[in-house]
Amino acid sequence: MSDAIKHECGIAMIRLRKPAQYYIDKYGTAAFASNRLYVLMQKQINRGQDGAGVANVKIDTKPGTRYISRYRSIEPSAVNFIFDKINRKYKKAKKIGGHDALSDGNWLKENIAFTGEVWLGHLRYGTHGENSIETCHPFLKQNNWRSRNLVMAGNFNMTNVEELFDKLVQLGQHPKEKTDTVTVMEKIGHFLDEENQRIFDKYKHQFSNEQITQVIEDELDMARILRRSCRDFDGGYAMAGIVGNGSAFVVRDPSGIRPAYYYADDEVIVVASEKPAIKSAFNINFNSIKEIQPGHALVINKDGSFAESEIMPAREKKSCSFERIYFSRGTDPNIYQERKNLGKALIPQILKAIDFDLKNTVFSYIPNTAETAFLGMIEGLEDYLAAKRREVFVDGKPHMGDLDELLNFRPRVEKLVSKDVKLRTFITNDEDRDSIVANVYDTTYEVIKPGVDTLVVIDDSIVRGTTLEKSILTTLDKLNPKRIIIVSSAPQIRFPDCYGIDMSKMKEFIAFRAALALIKERKIDYTLEQVHDSCVAHPYSTENFVKGVYSSFTDDEISEKISEIVTNDDIKAEVQVIYQTVDNLHKCCPDHLGDWYFTGDYPTTGGMRVVNRSFVNFMEGKTVRAY
C-alpha cells in the first residue's frame, strides 16, 4: 500500500499438552515452545512493529516459586530482542545446573524462567497515543492467589470505553487508566475474582482454605467468566488471556471482525491471528487449522482439555476485508487467490479507461503488496485476449488488424516503480512527511514510448492519496507517458475505522476531500450543516448520518475529483484514478464482508456512533479521537 497506515495487532499462543520432558526427548531441545513461538511471531511481524511482548505461565509450581514470566520491548527488532533474552535463560541453566540441566524438564521448570506450559506472544502497532514499554502487551493483573492472576494480550479496539470505564467505577473499582486495554482486562479480572469467590463459597464448609485453592483452580469456569465480562463490549476483538493456574482463552467478537485461528493435536494447542504463521511454525496442512467462530471463545482448561464455547450470540459475520486486501500475509492460499481475483475484477474498468488500446498500454504495480493483485490483473487481460482470439478463430467474427499480431500479442508488463526501503515515511512527523515522501519511489527509464503510451499502475488501496500526489505520479510523469491510470484494488475509503486500523480522521481521506470539493463546487454547503445537525441532535443514533456527505455524487464523480486533487500543476500526463467496486469486493472475498470503511455500514452500534462523532469533530475543528 502506498499510503502507510498502522493496523491490527497480532497474537500468538501455545499450550503444551505434555510434560516438558516429552519435548526434550522427542525434539532434542528444552526450547521447543520458545522456538515455535518465535516463528509464530516472526511470521506475523507484518502485524506489529512498534513493540512486542511474551508471557509464560508454569502450571502447579510449589509456593514460593515464580510461575509467571514476562518480557516486553519497544526496541527496533523487538521480537529478536525478547527471544535473545529468553535464550539467555537456557544458557544460564547450563551454567548453574551443569551439562545435563537442559535435558531435565523438571529441573528446568523448577529453576529457570520461561519454561512453563502456556505461552502468550503479542505484536503491537500503536495506532493511538504514545509508544512506550507500558503500552505493550501482554498486560498483567497480579494477585497472591494463582487463580486470580490474569495475563492478557489482544488485537482489538473498543468503541464504548467510556461506558465500560463507568461500569467499573459503579462496581466500586478505581481504574488507573481510561484505555480500552486496561478497561477490558479489569472487567475480565473482576469476574475472574467473582468466579473464584463463587467456588470458594461453595466449598468453604467442606475443605480447608489450602484445599479450596486447588479445587478453585480445577473448577474455574472460563466460559462463564467471559460470558459475564464480554456482554457489554462493543468493538472488534480477538483477545487472549492466561490465568495464573494455567487456564487460557482466546475470545472473538460476535461479528468476527478481528481474526483468530487455532490448531490442536495431542502435543500442542496453538492460536494465531494468521493461518500461515501456524502452518510455518508447526509444518501442518492448512485444512487442519480452524477459525475460532464469531462470538465464541477457545477455552483451554488447566488440565489441557479444550473446547470452543459460545460466549455471545454471533451476529452477521463481518470479518475485516482489509485483512484480505492488504494486512494479512499473502501466503495464505485463500488470501492469495482473493487478491488475484481483486486484480482480475478490475479488467472491464481498465479496458474502458484505456479505450481497449492494449498495444500502447504498459501495466505495472506499486510495490510490493500489490504484486498479487497485479498478477490477477494480468491474468484477466490474458483471459480477455483469449476470448478475442476465440471470437475470431472459432466463432468467425471479423477482425480489422493483423491476425498474426492478434495470435501472438501479450500485455506489456514492466516494473516501473521501485521503493527505496531506506526512506521510511511512516516514522516521520506529519509536517516533515511531504519532503520525504517525494523521494520514496524511483522508476525504470527507457521502456515507455513518450507521448504515446498509457501507464496502468495498480495499488492495494488509496487512503490519503499523499504518496500518490507527492511522489508516485511525479515519478511516473518523468517517463513522459500520454496518460497515467492508477488502479486501486480496494474501493474508495470514505469512513473512519474504529476496530483496530489507524484510519480515524475523516479529513485525511482523499475520498472525503473529494466530496467536500464537489460540495463546494456545486454550492450545496448546506449538506454539511444538515449532516452535522443530525449528528449533534442524535448522538446515540444507530444511523450513519455521514453517508449524506456522499449521497449527491456517484462513485465515478468522486473518483474523477480524486484524480484532479492528486494531480499537481507540474504533472504533464493526463491522470485518472480507478477504484474497485464494493460489489466486486464482495464477490472476490465472499467470506469477509466487513466493509464499513467503504460503505459506512458498521457492524456494531458503537461504530455508527463513532462515525457521527468523528464528523462532528471535523466540523468543529477538533483533532481528538472519536472513540
Side-chain angles (χ1 to χ4, degrees):
M1 185 183 293
S2 55
D3 288 327
I5 60 174
K6 295 184 177 183
H7 61 89
E8 317 297 327
C9 294
I11 57 173
M13 177 183 282
I14 295 176
R15 168 58 155 95
L16 299 179
R17 305 183 77 189
K18 302 281 188 181
Q21 196 63 46
Y22 173 89
Y23 305 94
I24 294 173
D25 294 340
K26 181 172 180 178
Y27 296 101
T29 176
F32 170 81
S34 173
N35 291 342
R36 297 303 189 277
L37 187 69
Y38 173 75
V39 175
L40 282 176
M41 294 179 70
Q42 281 290 8
K43 291 298 182 180
Q44 297 183 102
I45 201 70
N46 53 297
R47 306 189 69 85
Q49 298 175 35
D50 289 337
V54 170
N56 178 245
V57 173
K58 300 177 182 179
I59 299 175
D60 283 335
T61 56
K62 298 175 183 178
T65 304
R66 183 177 178 181
Y67 55 94
I68 300 178
S69 302
R70 178 181 60 159
Y71 282 149
R72 297 180 293 174
S73 173
I74 55 172
E75 294 293 320
S77 298
V79 174
N80 287 336
F81 179 83
I82 287 171
F83 281 91
D84 282 345
K85 291 183 70 175
I86 292 174
N87 287 336
R88 286 200 288 270
K89 297 293 184 183
Y90 297 107
K91 294 178 182 178
K92 177 184 177 183
K94 189 174 181 180
K95 183 177 180 180
I96 64 175
H99 180 75
D100 296 330
L102 294 180
S103 300
D104 188 338
N106 290 331
W107 185 91
L108 286 168
K109 183 175 176 179
E110 291 176 3
N111 295 278
I112 302 298
F114 291 99
T115 56
E117 294 88 344
V118 197
W119 295 75
L120 177 59
H122 186 265
L123 298 142
R124 179 178 187 270
Y125 259 130
T127 54
H128 295 282
E130 64 173 334
N131 187 39
S132 64
I133 196 75
E134 287 77 18
T135 58
C136 285
H137 302 203
F139 280 68
L140 177 59
K141 178 179 170 64
Q142 294 180 292
N143 195 285
N144 221 28
W145 279 263
R146 263 194 319 216
S147 54
R148 291 175 184 253
N149 284 275
L150 180 63
V151 184
M152 277 200 65
N155 168 17
F156 64 92
N157 266 357
M158 296 297 171
T159 68
N160 61 336
V161 175
E162 293 281 348
E163 297 170 31
L164 295 174
F165 180 86
D166 290 343
K167 287 182 181 294
L168 290 178
V169 173
Q170 291 166 12
L171 289 170
Q173 293 192 20
H174 191 89
K176 62 179 181 179
E177 293 179 45
K178 193 183 288 188
T179 63
D180 50 7
T181 305
V182 171
T183 304
V184 164
M185 187 178 69
E186 292 297 341
K187 195 163 190 292
I188 295 176
H190 168 77
F191 288 107
L192 175 63
D193 287 342
E194 284 206 349
E195 178 69 5
N196 272 264
Q197 190 64 47
R198 181 185 70 84
I199 300 173
F200 177 84
D201 291 341
K202 179 180 177 181
Y203 292 106
K204 63 183 178 181
H205 298 301
Q206 300 178 40
F207 303 105
S208 67
N209 286 357
E210 187 176 351
Q211 291 171 323
I212 291 177
T213 294
Q214 188 63 48
V215 172
I216 291 172
E217 292 192 7
D218 293 337
E219 290 196 9
L220 208 61
D221 189 342
M222 282 307 310
R224 183 175 188 272
I225 294 167
L226 293 171
R227 289 187 191 103
R228 302 183 72 198
S229 304
C230 299
R231 58 192 174 196
D232 298 319
F233 292 169
D234 187 293
Y237 53 86
M239 297 184 293
I242 310 173
V243 179
N245 71 325
S247 300
F249 65 88
V250 179
V251 61
R252 196 172 179 211
D253 67 83
S255 300
I257 296 171
R258 298 273 70 84
Y261 302 91
Y262 75 97
Y263 165 77
D265 59 26
D266 61 346
E267 292 184 356
V268 294
I269 303 169
V270 189
V271 181
S273 296
E274 296 188 28
K275 290 165 71 174
I278 301 176
K279 162 73 175 175
S280 296
F282 292 88
N283 192 29
I284 56 174
N285 295 324
F286 269 102
N287 57 15
S288 299
I289 303 170
K290 299 179 181 180
E291 181 179 9
I292 297 176
Q293 294 305 302
H296 285 62
L298 179 69
V299 175
I300 307 170
N301 299 312
K302 177 185 175 182
D303 63 4
S305 60
F306 70 97
E308 195 172 344
S309 302
E310 183 182 271
I311 302 303
M312 292 160 291
R315 306 190 191 110
E316 181 183 1
K317 190 178 180 185
K318 291 289 185 178
S319 302
C320 175
S321 58
F322 251 121
E323 287 279 355
R324 322 303 285 186
I325 297 167
Y326 169 67
F327 295 148
S328 294
R329 290 171 67 92
T331 50
D332 183 306
N334 293 328
I335 293 176
Y336 181 77
Q337 189 58 53
E338 288 166 7
R339 289 180 183 174
K340 289 184 72 174
N341 291 341
L342 286 168
K344 192 178 293 188
L346 288 158
I347 293 302
Q349 292 168 266
I350 292 171
L351 289 172
K352 181 180 178 181
I354 65 173
D355 299 321
F356 296 86
D357 182 11
L358 289 173
K359 184 176 180 180
N360 296 307
T361 302
V362 176
F363 297 89
S364 192
Y365 62 94
I366 297 172
N368 50 7
T369 54
E371 183 176 5
T372 307
F374 170 75
L375 294 175
M377 180 178 70
I378 299 305
E379 275 190 16
L381 290 171
E382 294 282 8
D383 291 345
Y384 166 77
L385 289 170
K388 298 301 290 184
R389 295 184 188 108
R390 192 178 303 111
E391 289 177 359
V392 174
F393 295 108
V394 177
D395 301 337
K397 289 188 177 182
H399 177 66
M400 298 296 292
D402 183 81
L403 291 179
D404 285 338
E405 183 180 14
L406 175 63
L407 190 62
N408 297 311
F409 184 82
R410 294 290 181 271
R412 296 171 61 193
V413 175
E414 304 287 352
K415 184 172 182 179
L416 295 178
V417 182
S418 301
K419 190 170 185 179
D420 190 336
V421 296
K422 294 183 287 295
L423 297 170
R424 303 171 69 195
T425 61
F426 62 85
I427 63 171
T428 308
N429 295 328
D430 290 344
E431 58 269 24
D432 298 325
R433 181 181 173 87
D434 288 354
S435 63
I436 299 296
V437 161
N439 296 287
V440 169
Y441 292 93
D442 204 348
T443 191
T444 305
Y445 294 93
E446 306 299 330
V447 294
I448 300 301
K449 292 179 287 186
V452 176
D453 283 342
T454 294
L455 307 186
V456 175
V457 182
I458 191 168
D459 193 1
D460 298 295
S461 182
I462 303 167
V463 185
R464 294 179 288 261
T466 307
T467 309
L468 187 61
E469 179 183 0
K470 303 294 183 182
S471 180
I472 293 171
L473 287 174
T474 301
T475 300
L476 292 173
D477 195 56
K478 293 176 183 178
L479 299 173
N480 297 315
K482 180 181 179 181
R483 300 172 66 202
I484 301 172
I485 299 175
I486 303 295
V487 184
S488 169
S489 66
Q492 298 167 3
I493 296 173
R494 299 182 170 193
F495 303 94
D497 182 77
C498 53
Y499 304 124
I501 307 173
D502 188 17
M503 299 192 304
S504 58
K505 298 177 182 177
M506 294 198 64
K507 67 177 183 179
E508 293 184 351
F509 302 147
I510 188 70
F512 184 70
R513 290 163 55 196
L516 293 180
L518 288 170
I519 286 171
K520 185 175 181 180
E521 282 180 10
R522 300 184 187 183
K523 296 180 172 57
I524 53 174
D525 299 68
Y526 59 85
T527 301
L528 300 178
E529 294 300 331
Q530 288 176 345
V531 172
H532 177 260
D533 290 347
S534 296
C535 292
V536 171
H538 307 284
Y540 298 104
S541 174
T542 57
E543 179 181 351
N544 180 353
F545 298 114
V546 185
K547 288 184 178 182
V549 174
Y550 300 96
S551 61
S552 299
F553 317 113
T554 66
D555 292 353
D556 287 343
E557 286 174 328
I558 296 290
S559 294
E560 288 171 11
K561 181 55 64 176
I562 289 172
S563 302
E564 292 178 23
I565 292 173
V566 298
T567 307
N568 63 53
D569 294 338
D570 296 327
I571 301 294
K572 298 184 288 293
E574 178 188 341
V575 174
Q576 183 178 357
V577 180
I578 295 174
Y579 283 90
Q580 186 73 263
T581 67
V582 173
D583 285 344
N584 278 343
L585 172 68
H586 290 169
K587 290 175 184 176
C588 295
C589 308
D591 298 323
H592 297 78
L593 302 177
D595 61 5
W596 51 92
Y597 16 68
F598 308 127
T599 65
D601 297 330
Y602 290 82
T604 74
T605 56
M608 295 296 189
R609 295 174 188 174
V610 165
V611 66
N612 292 333
R613 197 178 305 133
S614 180
F615 183 78
V616 170
N617 290 343
F618 163 75
M619 291 292 288
E620 297 177 0
K622 299 176 182 177
T623 58
V624 297
R625 283 177 71 175
Y627 60 95

